[in-house]
Amino acid sequence: MDLRAETTRDRSRSTFVIIWFLFLAAVFSVGARLGTKYAMARSLAWDDTLMIIAQSISITFAASSGLGKALDTLAPDAVSSFLKKRAWWTSVEIVNIVTEFGFVFMYFWIIGRLQISILKRTTVLAVFLTRLLVVVAAAAQLAVFWAAYPEADITQSSWLMVTENAFSKEGAQARVGSFEPAVPGSGSGDDAALARLGKKPVLKRNFGFMTIMGFSCTILITWEGSLIGGPSGIIYGFIVVWVGTLSIFATLSELVSMAPTSGGQYHWVSILAPPTTRKFLGYLTGWLTLTGWQALVASGGYVTGTMIQGLILLTHPDYINSMKNWHGTLLFWAVVLAGFSINTAIGSLLAKFEGLVLVVHLLGFFAVILPLAILSEHADSASVFNTFYNVGGWQTQGLSFCIGILGNVFAFLGGDGAIHMAEEIRNAAVVIPQSLMTGLTVNGLLGFAMLIATMYCVGDIDAALAENPSYPFMAIFRNAVGSTAGAAVMSAVIVVMSFSATTGCLASTSRLYWAFARDRGLPGWRILMKTSPRTSIPMYSVVTTTVIAIILSLVNIGNATAFNGVISISVAGLFGSYLIASSLLLYRRLRGDIHDTEPDDTLVNTVDSSLTWGPWRLRGLFGIANNIFSCAYITFIFFFCFWPTSVDVTPQNMNWAVLVFVVVFIFSMLYYAIWARKVYSGPIVEL
C-alpha cells in the first residue's frame, strides 16, 4: 500500500509555531532558574539551555523535512528517512523513563539519610515523588507515538507527541526563581542619594532593573500599539518616531540620572531654569506633566474597555446592532477599578506583577506574530513600502505624513513612567536610564516587526473596518488564521497587555500627584501628600487619579468625539513638559553650568544648589547634538498634535485637544494667581 495516500490536512505550520512558542517559554523559565542560581551560587550551568536549543532546532528541521505534513506531499525518500527515526524516538522515551526512575531512587537515598522526623521526611519525599508524573507522561507519549505507526499518515499523526516530548523533560526541570535578588544595603545608599536632593525617603524601593524594565515595556506596549494605531501607523513614520523617542529618552535619562525623584520634569525644570523664572516654569511643567499622565490613564482605560467591546463584536457579530457608548464606559470603569485594586490592595506586589507582565509581553508577541505571518496570505512588497495615503485631503503628501505620524507617537507614549516611580527603585540613578533605553529598544524592535507583519497580512482593510470599525486588527487576525477562536485568543493577548499598561499608568500618575502635592503645587496638597503607614503607598493620590479618570469617562457617554479630545491631550501635555525640560538642559549644558562631582554631603540638583551630572550621561558633542535633535523633534510633534485629521473640519473630526489644553492651562494659571504662588516655591528641601 502506498503510505502517501491522498490527504488534505497539513500541520507542519502548527508544529513550527507551537515548537518555537514553547521554546521561548522554556527559555524564559530556564533563564529565571539560572538567574536565581547565579544570585545564590555565583556560577552557571548551561546544559539545560543547550538541550532546549538543540532539541528545538532539530524538531524545526524535522518539520521542514516532513514532520506534520501529509504523506502525499512528501517524496518517497523523505518518507523513508522519517520512518528510520522510529527507533530514535522510542529510545528517547525509554531513556526519559529510566532517568526519572533514577532521580526518584536518588531522592529516596538522600532523604532517607536526613536526620529529621518521620513526618517531615515523608512530607519532603511526597513532594519529590511528584517526579513520577514525568514517568507517566513519558510512557503516555511512547504509547501514543507507537499507536500512530499503524496509521497511513504517520508523519501527520505523530506531530503532537514529538512537540510535547521536546519540552516535557526540560519543563519539569525548569524552576522559576526570583527575577532579581534583594541587594543588601541598597536602600541606605538610595536614601542617601535622595537626601542629597533634599527629600526624605518615604516610599518602599520594591523595583529593580528587570521589574522596572517590565514596567517601562508594558506601559509602552509598542508592538500592541502598532496594531491599535490603524492606517496612520505607516512604516516610515514608525521609524521617525522611534528614532525621535530614543533621542528624547536619552535626554530624559540624563536628567533622571541627575535627580531621580518622582517629580520628574517639574523638579528638573525648577533646578535648571534661571532664578527669575524657575518658580513659574516649574509649576507650569508640573501641570503639563500631570495633565498628560492623567489623560494617559483615561486613554488606557478607554482603549482597553472599547477593545473588550471589539472582542465581543469579533465573537458575536450581531452585537454591532446594539453597541452603545455607555457599554464602553462601563467596561472603562471595570478596567480602571481593577487597576486601582492592583495598585492598592496588592500594591506591595506591583513590582512582581510588572515582572510577570514583561514575560507575557514578550511571549505574547510571538504568540501573535507567528500565526499572523505564517498562516495568512501576504501582500507584495511594493504595496507595503511604496503606498502612501492622503485620506485627510491635505495639500501635500508630506503634510499628510506629518499629521498621520501622531498615531505612531501614541504607540510610544508613556515610556517615561519609570521616572515617576524613581523613589521606589533601587539604584535609581543608574537603573532608570538603563531600563528606559533598553525598554524602548526592545519595544521598538518588536513594534517594527509587528508593523511589517501586519502590513503584509492586512488584506482588505475596507472589509476589516466594516467588520470591526474600532479595532480592525481583530478582523485581520480572523481572516489571517481562518478561525474566530484563534483570532479571539490573539486579540485577548492585546487586551491583557493594554490593561497592564493602564495599571502602570495609574501607578505613575499617582506618584506624580503625590510628588507635586509634596511640593505644594496642587489643590488639597496636604491630603494628597499622605501615604499609607502600612504599605507606604500614596493612597489618596491613587484614589484621586482613579476618580478623575472615571469622571472624564462620563464624557464618552454623551459624545465619543469630545472624549477623544480629552484623551488626546496626553501627547500635548507630555511633549510640552519634555520641551521645557530638554530646552533648559541644553541651555545649562552650553553654559557649562553642570559639574561632574560634588562632595557626598553636599546638597545637589535642587533649588539654590549646584548642578552635577549623574552616573548616566552622553558626553561632549554627542550629548549636545542629541539634546538639540530631541528639542527639534519635540517641537515638531508638539506643533502637529493640535491639528485635525482632515482639511475639512467638522465637529466629528475636530481635534479638541487644543480646547482641553487651553482649559487646563487657564485653570492652572488661575489657581497659581489666587493661591499656588503663595505656597509653591519649587521642590522643597525637607531635610
Side-chain angles (χ1 to χ4, degrees):
M1 181 183 70
D2 185 4
L3 289 176
R4 296 178 295 126
E6 180 67 26
T7 180
T8 59
R9 293 178 296 169
D10 185 350
R11 293 195 178 110
S12 59
R13 289 179 174 180
S14 303
T15 306
F16 186 86
V17 172
I18 292 174
I19 195 68
W20 281 106
F21 178 76
L22 293 177
F23 164 63
L24 290 165
V27 166
F28 279 109
S29 180
V30 173
R33 181 178 68 86
L34 293 177
T36 303
K37 183 176 180 180
Y38 179 78
M40 297 175 63
R42 296 298 174 185
S43 63
L44 290 176
W46 294 97
D47 53 324
D48 294 326
T49 305
L50 292 175
M51 185 184 302
I52 293 173
I53 294 174
Q55 203 157 20
S56 299
I57 292 176
S58 67
I59 295 177
T60 301
F61 280 120
S64 63
S65 301
L67 179 62
K69 290 186 178 180
L71 280 175
D72 64 292
T73 64
L74 301 178
D77 292 342
V79 176
S80 176
S81 174
F82 185 87
L83 292 178
K84 290 178 181 178
K85 296 180 175 63
R86 178 182 186 181
W88 161 254
W89 290 114
T90 302
S91 64
V92 167
E93 294 298 349
I94 293 174
V95 169
N96 282 348
I97 294 173
V98 172
T99 303
E100 294 305 324
F101 273 120
F103 279 126
V104 172
F105 173 78
M106 182 179 65
Y107 296 150
F108 269 101
W109 183 75
I110 294 175
I111 296 172
R113 297 169 63 89
L114 294 177
Q115 300 299 318
I116 57 177
S117 65
I118 296 296
L119 178 60
K120 291 182 178 179
R121 191 179 303 174
T122 304
T123 303
V124 174
L125 188 60
V127 172
F128 281 100
L129 282 179
T130 56
R131 190 100 191 188
L132 290 174
L133 295 175
V134 180
V135 176
V136 176
Q141 290 169 11
L142 184 60
V144 174
F145 186 72
W146 272 80
Y149 270 89
E151 297 187 13
D153 217 351
I154 176 62
T155 53
Q156 191 178 64
S157 303
S158 60
W159 73 277
L160 182 58
M161 82 287 296
V162 173
T163 302
E164 180 186 0
N165 176 75
F167 292 91
S168 62
K169 195 171 182 67
E170 289 81 357
Q173 292 176 348
R175 300 290 183 262
V176 178
S178 170
F179 273 102
E180 50 207 332
V183 181
S186 61
S188 59
D190 290 318
D191 293 347
L194 188 61
R196 295 191 70 196
L197 301 174
K199 296 298 182 184
K200 292 180 180 179
V202 177
L203 307 180
K204 293 181 180 179
R205 296 186 183 271
N206 296 320
F207 286 86
F209 173 73
M210 286 298 297
T211 48
I212 200 61
M213 190 180 76
F215 187 90
S216 298
C217 285
T218 52
I219 286 185
L220 275 172
I221 56 168
T222 304
W223 72 260
E224 298 91 338
S226 66
L227 292 170
I228 299 170
S232 62
I234 303 172
I235 294 173
Y236 301 108
F238 186 96
I239 296 173
V240 171
V241 172
W242 187 15
V243 172
T245 308
L246 278 169
S247 178
I248 293 175
F249 276 29
T251 301
L252 296 181
S253 294
E254 291 184 296
L255 289 165
V256 74
S257 188
M258 291 173 59
T261 74
S262 296
Q265 290 94 307
Y266 84 82
H267 183 104
W268 306 331
V269 168
S270 298
I271 65 176
L272 294 172
T276 55
T277 59
R278 67 172 45 145
K279 178 179 176 180
F280 175 75
L281 287 179
Y283 174 84
L284 175 62
T285 304
W287 273 90
L288 286 174
T289 310
L290 196 57
T291 300
W293 272 104
Q294 182 65 70
L296 205 56
V297 174
S299 301
Y302 175 76
V303 168
T304 308
T306 54
M307 207 184 301
I308 296 173
Q309 273 190 296
L311 195 56
I312 296 172
L313 181 60
L314 174 67
T315 54
H316 298 82
D318 293 340
Y319 176 61
I320 195 170
N321 299 319
S322 57
M323 284 183 67
K324 302 294 181 183
N325 286 353
W326 63 267
H327 296 174
T329 301
L330 289 178
L331 291 169
F332 175 109
W333 292 358
V335 169
V336 173
L337 290 175
F340 170 81
S341 300
I342 293 176
N343 274 277
T344 53
I346 57 172
S348 59
L349 300 178
L350 181 62
K352 293 181 174 60
F353 171 79
E354 296 296 341
L356 175 63
V357 171
L358 174 61
V359 176
V360 177
H361 173 65
L362 296 175
L363 289 179
F365 167 79
F366 293 98
V368 171
I369 197 172
L370 288 177
L372 183 65
I374 294 173
L375 301 179
S376 67
E377 296 182 0
H378 299 159
D380 60 277
S381 297
S383 64
V384 172
F385 292 100
N386 298 330
T387 303
F388 294 88
Y389 297 98
N390 186 358
V391 295
W394 297 99
Q395 293 88 338
T396 65
Q397 185 64 53
L399 184 57
S400 176
F401 175 84
C402 292
I403 296 170
I405 205 173
L406 292 177
N408 284 317
V409 172
F410 191 80
F412 281 97
L413 208 59
D416 59 318
I419 292 172
H420 305 296
M421 306 295 291
E423 295 177 42
E424 299 174 59
I425 301 171
R426 298 186 291 273
N427 195 17
V430 175
V431 166
I432 295 178
Q434 291 176 345
S435 69
L436 289 179
M437 301 307 292
T438 304
L440 182 58
T441 302
V442 171
N443 272 272
L445 290 171
L446 298 184
F448 188 69
M450 184 62 71
L451 185 61
I452 294 292
T454 304
M455 291 299 101
Y456 270 103
C457 306
V458 68
D460 188 347
I461 187 63
D462 293 329
L465 284 167
E467 182 178 333
N468 203 320
S470 298
Y471 299 102
F473 73 85
M474 296 184 182
I476 294 172
F477 285 171
R478 190 184 63 79
N479 294 331
V481 302
S483 167
T484 300
V489 172
M490 295 165 68
S491 301
V493 174
I494 315 297
V495 174
V496 170
M497 294 310 306
S498 182
F499 165 71
S500 67
T502 305
T503 302
C505 287
L506 199 155
S508 289
T509 308
S510 65
R511 272 50 170 190
L512 182 57
Y513 269 107
W514 169 77
F516 204 24
R518 177 178 58 179
D519 291 323
R520 305 175 184 178
L522 292 174
W525 57 268
R526 288 184 176 87
I527 296 176
L528 292 175
M529 67 180 291
K530 293 181 179 180
T531 59
S532 168
R534 182 177 63 87
T535 62
S536 298
I537 294 173
M539 198 68 68
Y540 291 105
S541 294
V542 178
V543 171
T544 301
T545 305
T546 305
V547 170
I548 292 177
I550 290 176
I551 292 174
L552 290 175
S553 71
L554 297 175
V555 178
N556 183 57
I557 297 178
N559 191 316
T561 302
F563 183 71
N564 285 331
V566 172
I567 62 179
S568 64
I569 195 65
S570 55
V571 176
L574 290 178
F575 273 74
S577 69
Y578 297 160
L579 180 59
I580 298 174
S582 299
S583 300
L584 288 172
L585 177 63
L586 180 61
Y587 164 73
R588 290 291 189 179
R589 187 176 225 140
L590 294 176
R591 282 170 50 97
D593 293 337
I594 308 177
H595 310 293
D596 287 334
T597 58
E598 289 288 344
D600 291 342
D601 58 349
T602 305
L603 281 176
V604 295
N605 298 334
T606 189
V607 176
D608 296 325
S609 69
S610 60
L611 299 174
T612 63
W613 289 109
W616 198 100
R617 62 176 290 200
L618 300 178
R619 298 179 180 273
L621 292 177
F622 182 63
I624 295 174
N626 176 75
N627 208 160
I628 293 173
F629 178 78
S630 66
C631 290
Y633 172 74
I634 295 168
T635 304
F636 166 75
I637 297 298
F638 186 76
F639 174 73
F640 279 106
C641 73
F642 296 109
W643 284 53
T645 57
S646 175
V647 68
D648 298 321
V649 181
T650 65
Q652 286 70 37
N653 63 25
M654 172 64 182
N655 186 347
W656 294 101
V658 62
L659 176 62
V660 179
F661 186 86
V662 171
V663 169
V664 173
F665 179 80
I666 292 175
F667 175 80
S668 63
M669 291 300 102
L670 286 175
Y671 178 69
Y672 181 81
I674 296 172
W675 184 253
R677 63 186 178 86
K678 303 175 184 178
V679 296
Y680 177 80
S681 58
I684 296 174
V685 177
E686 300 175 328
L687 299 175

